[in-house]
C-alpha cells in the first residue's frame, strides 16, 4: 500500500468548537485519512493560555501561544478563535503562505469578507466557512455548489438559536420578552450580554453571507437592514397566534425584479433581518427552541429547507471538519476550486424598497364609519387589505367600549406600508397603533 501524504493542520482556538475539532481530528484520524487521501496531522493548537482547563483531554505539547509561527508552517489552518483581530491577520498570513483556511467566524466574514475572499483568490487557496452560518447545517456548500446551476430567488433563515428560543418560549408560555430572555440565559441559550443576538446583529452577519453566496454579489454588513426582537411583546405574540401566525426573527435575502415602481430601489437584492409573522403552517413555523433552519426558493428547484442545530461545540465541529476534508481533498487532487463567484453585480436595496406584508394592530374608537375610513386610507396609499378583524372590549369599571382592529395587508413596498401606518396614526378615530410587524409566507 502506498504511503499517504501528510497535511499539517494548525488549529487556532480550543474553546467550545475548537476542542471538539481537535478531538475528532485525533480520534477519527484513520477515517479522515481514508476520506481525504491524506493524513491530517494536527500540528499545533494556538490559545491564549496553554494551561487553561479544556473540555477535551489533549496532548499538552500541542498547545502554543505563538499562533503566527504555527500558521506559517501549515497546509490547512482552522480559525476558531472568534473576534476580528488577531483572527483576521492570522487568516491573511495563512493564505499568503499558501494554506487553505477553514473558519467559523461570522463576525469577521461579514465585516471583512470581501478582503479575505480576494486574498484567497489571489493566493489560489480555499477559504471555507460552513460553520459561520447555522452551525451544523450544511447550507453554504449547497448554495455554492449544489444550486450553482439554478437561480435562487429568496432565502428565509432562522439563523439565530437564542432569539428563536426566546420567541418560541413567548409563543408557547405567553411569557414577556424579559422573562423569556432570563430563561434562555438560565438554560445557557443566551449569553450574559445578549445584545448581538437579541438586536439581530448576529443574524445580520449571517444574512450578509447568505445573500452574497445566493446572489453572486458581495454584500457587506452595512447592506443589511437590521431590527431585533426587543420590541416584540407578549401581546404581539398572542395576537399573531390568534390570527394563525407565529413570530420568528428571519434573515431574509430576496431578489426584487419589478423596477420602476413608485418608490426608490427598483431591481436588486433586499437583505434584512426583522421579526416576521409566518403562517403557522409554514415549514419555518415548525422550527422550535434553539434550532435553526434555512428555507430557499429557487427558480428550478422550487422550495428547499435545511434544518438542524445552529450552534454547540460538537455540531459546529461537524461543519468545520466537512470544510477541512473538502479543502484537503482539493490539495490532494491538486489546486483549490473557487470559493465563491461574484459575477452577479446586483445592487443592495434599501429597506424602503423591500416588498412585504404588514400586520397592524390598532386600538380604535368604537363608532360607525371607522372601518370605512381606515380602508379608504389604505386604498389611497395603494396598499390592499387581506384580512381585517375587529374585537370589541368593554371596560368593566367605566363601561366604555373600545375596539381592537387587526389588519394583514397584501404584499406591497415597505415605503408604501410605512407611509400608510404614519397616515393611520393621524386619523382622529385611532387611539393608538399597538403593533406593526412584517409578515412573510402568505
Ligand atoms: P470560545 O469558546 O470563546 O473559544 C475561543 C478560543 O480561541 C479559546 O480557546 C481561546 O483561547 C482562543 N483565543 C481567543 N483569542 C485568542 C488570541 N488572541 N490568541 C490565541 N487564542 C485565542 O469560542 P467558540 O464558541 O469555540 O467559537 C469559535 C468561533 O466559532 C467563533 O468565531 C464563533 O462565532 C464560531 N461559532 C461558534 C459556534 C458555537 O456554537 N460556539 C457556532 C458557530 C460558529 P483560551 O482558551 O486560552 O482563552
Amino acid at each position: 500500500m502506498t504511503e499517504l501524504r501528510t497535511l499539517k493542520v494548525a488549529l487556532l482556538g480550543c474553546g467550545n468548537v475548537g476542542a471538539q475539532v481537535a478531538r475528532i481530528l485525533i480520534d477519527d484520524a484513520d477515517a479522515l485519512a481514508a476520506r481525504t487521501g491524506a493524513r491530517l496531522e494536527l500540528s499545533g493548537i494556538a490559545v491564549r493560555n496553554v494551561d487553561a482547563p479544556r473540555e477535551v483531554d489533549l496532548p499538552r505539547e500541542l498547545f502554543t501561544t505563538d499562533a503566527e509561527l504555527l500558521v506559517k508552517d501549515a497546509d490547512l489552518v482552522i480559525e476558531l478563535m472568534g473576534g476580528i483581530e488577531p483572527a483576521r491577520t492570522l487568516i491573511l498570513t495563512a493564505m499568503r503562505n499558501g494554506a487553505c483556511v477553514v473558519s467559523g467566524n461570522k463576525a469577521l466574514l461579514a465585516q471583512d469578507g470581501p478582503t479575505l475572499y480576494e486574498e484567497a483568490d489571489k493566493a489560489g487557496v480555499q477559504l471555507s466557512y460552513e460553520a459561520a452560518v447555522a452551525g451544523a447545517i450544511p447550507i453554504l456548500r449547497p448554495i455554492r455548489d449544489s444550486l450553482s446551476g439554478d437561480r435562487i430567488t429568496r432565502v428565509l433563515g432562522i439563523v439565530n438559536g437564542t432569539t428563536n428560543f426566546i420567541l418560541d418560549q413567548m409563543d408557547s408560555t405567553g411569557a414577556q420578552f424579559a422573562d423569556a430572555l432570563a430563561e434562555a440565559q438560565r438554560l445557557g441559550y443566551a449569553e450574559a450580554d445578549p445584545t448581538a443576538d437579541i438586536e439581530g446583529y448576529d443574524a445580520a452577519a449571517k444574512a450578509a453571507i447568505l445573500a452574497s453566496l445566493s446572489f453572486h454579489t458581495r454584500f457587506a454588513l452595512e447592506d443589511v437592514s437590521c431590527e431585533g426582537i426587543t420590541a416584540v411583546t407578549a401581546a404581539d405574540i398572542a395576537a399573531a397566534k390568534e390570527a394563525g401566525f407565529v413570530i420568528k426573527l428571519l434573515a431574509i435575502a430576496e431578489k426584487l425584479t419589478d423596477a420602476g415602481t413608485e418608490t426608490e430601489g427598483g431591481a436588486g437584492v433586499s437583505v434584512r433581518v426583522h421579526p416576521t409573522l409566518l403562517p403557522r403552517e409554514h415549514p419555518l413555523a415548525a422550527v422550535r427552541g434553539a434550532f435553526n433552519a434555512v428555507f430557499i426558493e429557487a427558480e428550478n428547484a422550487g422550495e428547499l429547507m435545511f434544518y438542524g442545530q445552529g450552534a454547540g461545540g460538537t455540531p459546529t465541529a461537524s461543519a468545520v471538519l466537512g470544510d477541512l476534508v473538502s479543502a484537503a481533498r482539493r490539495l490532494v487532487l491538486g489546486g483549490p476550486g473557487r470559493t465563491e463567484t461574484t459575477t452577479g453585480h446586483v445592487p443592495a436595496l434599501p429597506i424602503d424598497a423591500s416588498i412585504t406584508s404588514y400586520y397592524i394592530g390598532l386600538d380604535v374608537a368604537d363608532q360607525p364609519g371607522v372601518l370605512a375610513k381606515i380602508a379608504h386610507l389604505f386604498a389611497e396609499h395603494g396598499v390592499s387589505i387581506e384580512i381585517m378583524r375587529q374585537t370589541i372590549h368593554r371596560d368593566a369599571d367605566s363601561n366604555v367600549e373600545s375596539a381592537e382592529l387587526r389588519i394583514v395587508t397584501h404584499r406591497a413596498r415597505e415605503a408604501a406600508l410605512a407611509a400608510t401606518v404614519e397616515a393611520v396614526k393621524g386619523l382622529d378615530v385611532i387611539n393608538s397603533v399597538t403593533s406593526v410587524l412584517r409578515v412573510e409566507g402568505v
Side-chain angles (χ1 to χ4, degrees), residues 13-17 47-49 54 80-82 104-106 131 311-312 316:
C14 193
N16 292 317
V17 187
V47 289
R48 277 178 299 214
N49 175 7
R54 305 283 159 198
L80 291 167
M81 291 168 42
N105 196 332
K106 60 233 161 191
T316 308

Side-chain angles (χ1 to χ4, degrees), residues 59-198:
R60 173 74 171 71
E61 63 275 14
L62 284 177
F63 288 91
T64 176
T65 51
D66 195 340
E68 204 180 334
L69 188 69
L70 189 63
V71 153
K72 283 184 173 161
D73 186 31
D75 300 298
L76 296 148
V77 172
I78 305 174
E79 185 277 305
L80 291 167
M81 291 168 42
I84 304 300
E85 286 295 353
R88 182 181 177 281
T89 304
L90 289 166
I91 289 176
L92 288 172
T93 306
M95 295 194 300
R96 286 171 187 156
N97 277 284
C100 291
V101 173
V102 176
S103 172
N105 196 332
K106 60 233 161 191
L108 174 61
L109 285 157
Q111 181 182 304
D112 218 9
T115 318
L116 298 174
Y117 309 142
E118 251 163 52
E119 282 296 328
D121 282 351
K122 234 193 264 173
V125 298
Q126 195 171 330
L127 168 65
S128 23
Y129 41 92
E130 185 63 71
V133 179
I137 307 173
I139 181 64
L140 300 188
R141 209 152 339 124
I143 291 177
R144 207 180 57 201
D145 296 341
S146 317
L147 289 167
S148 57
D150 205 333
R151 276 204 191 90
I152 292 175
T153 49
R154 188 147 82 131
V155 180
L156 301 177
I158 295 175
V159 290
N160 181 273
T162 306
T163 47
N164 201 56
F165 177 86
I166 292 171
L167 292 173
D168 188 31
Q169 203 46 32
M170 291 171 77
D171 187 79
S172 55
T173 67
Q176 284 292 357
F177 170 76
D179 297 329
L181 170 61
E183 179 68 355
Q185 284 171 321
R186 193 182 68 77
L187 294 172
Y189 290 122
E191 290 179 27
D193 176 3
T195 313
D197 293 320
I198 62 177

Side-chain angles (χ1 to χ4, degrees), residues 368-378 388:
V370 170
L371 296 189
K373 260 193 189 173
I374 293 171
H376 178 71
L377 194 138
F378 272 72
M388 192 190 259

Side-chain angles (χ1 to χ4, degrees), residues 75-407:
D75 300 298
L76 296 148
V77 172
I78 305 174
E79 185 277 305
L80 291 167
M81 291 168 42
I84 304 300
E85 286 295 353
R88 182 181 177 281
T89 304
L90 289 166
I91 289 176
L92 288 172
T93 306
M95 295 194 300
R96 286 171 187 156
N97 277 284
C100 291
V101 173
V102 176
S103 172
N105 196 332
K106 60 233 161 191
L108 174 61
L109 285 157
Q111 181 182 304
D112 218 9
T115 318
L116 298 174
Y117 309 142
E118 251 163 52
E119 282 296 328
D121 282 351
K122 234 193 264 173
V125 298
Q126 195 171 330
L127 168 65
S128 23
Y129 41 92
E130 185 63 71
V133 179
I137 307 173
I139 181 64
L140 300 188
R141 209 152 339 124
I143 291 177
R144 207 180 57 201
D145 296 341
S146 317
L147 289 167
S148 57
D150 205 333
R151 276 204 191 90
I152 292 175
T153 49
R154 188 147 82 131
V155 180
L156 301 177
I158 295 175
V159 290
N160 181 273
T162 306
T163 47
N164 201 56
F165 177 86
I166 292 171
L167 292 173
D168 188 31
Q169 203 46 32
M170 291 171 77
D171 187 79
S172 55
T173 67
Q176 284 292 357
F177 170 76
D179 297 329
L181 170 61
E183 179 68 355
Q185 284 171 321
R186 193 182 68 77
L187 294 172
Y189 290 122
E191 290 179 27
D193 176 3
T195 313
D197 293 320
I198 62 177
E199 296 293 352
Y201 306 146
D202 172 79
K206 294 163 180 170
I209 296 170
L210 284 170
S212 299
L213 290 175
S214 300
F215 298 104
H216 307 281
T217 300
R218 283 165 186 160
F219 295 102
L221 203 48
E222 308 88 77
D223 296 321
V224 186
S225 158
C226 177
E227 186 184 319
I229 63 163
T230 53
V232 178
T233 63
D236 288 334
I237 302 260
K241 203 170 186 174
E242 206 186 303
F245 293 97
V246 62
I247 299 184
K248 296 287 187 192
L249 184 73
L250 293 190
I252 301 175
E254 69 180 328
K255 191 157 195 180
L256 302 180
T257 50
D258 52 342
T261 50
E262 72 281 9
T263 53
E264 302 247 314
V269 171
S270 167
V271 195
R272 54 194 204 268
V273 169
H274 52 66
T276 312
L277 274 78
L278 283 171
R280 293 189 95 85
E281 61 278 10
H282 191 281
L284 285 175
V287 179
R288 307 284 310 274
F291 274 81
N292 281 198
V294 181
F295 187 80
I296 293 182
E297 294 167 25
E299 267 181 24
N300 301 316
E303 295 178 347
L304 300 161
M305 182 146 123
F306 301 79
Y307 169 86
Q309 296 192 62
T314 308
T316 308
S318 163
V320 172
L321 264 299
D323 274 351
L324 189 74
V325 168
S326 161
R329 276 180 181 156
R330 289 179 193 225
L331 287 183
V332 171
L333 295 172
R338 290 195 71 82
T339 49
E340 60 156 344
T341 54
T342 52
T343 49
H345 307 300
V346 282
L349 296 175
I351 185 79
D352 270 4
S354 62
I355 296 177
T356 183
S357 300
Y358 265 21
Y359 164 88
I360 303 161
L362 299 171
D363 180 353
V364 300
D366 182 25
Q367 62 191 53
V370 170
L371 296 189
K373 260 193 189 173
I374 293 171
H376 178 71
L377 194 138
F378 272 72
E380 256 181 14
H381 285 79
V383 174
S384 70
I385 292 173
E386 179 164 2
I387 303 167
M388 192 190 259
R389 282 205 194 115
Q390 184 175 282
T391 320
I392 306 291
H393 300 289
R394 184 188 299 276
D395 188 289
D397 299 328
S398 64
N399 212 25
V400 172
E401 278 189 347
S402 67
E404 196 186 340
L405 205 59
R406 293 182 199 139
I407 296 169

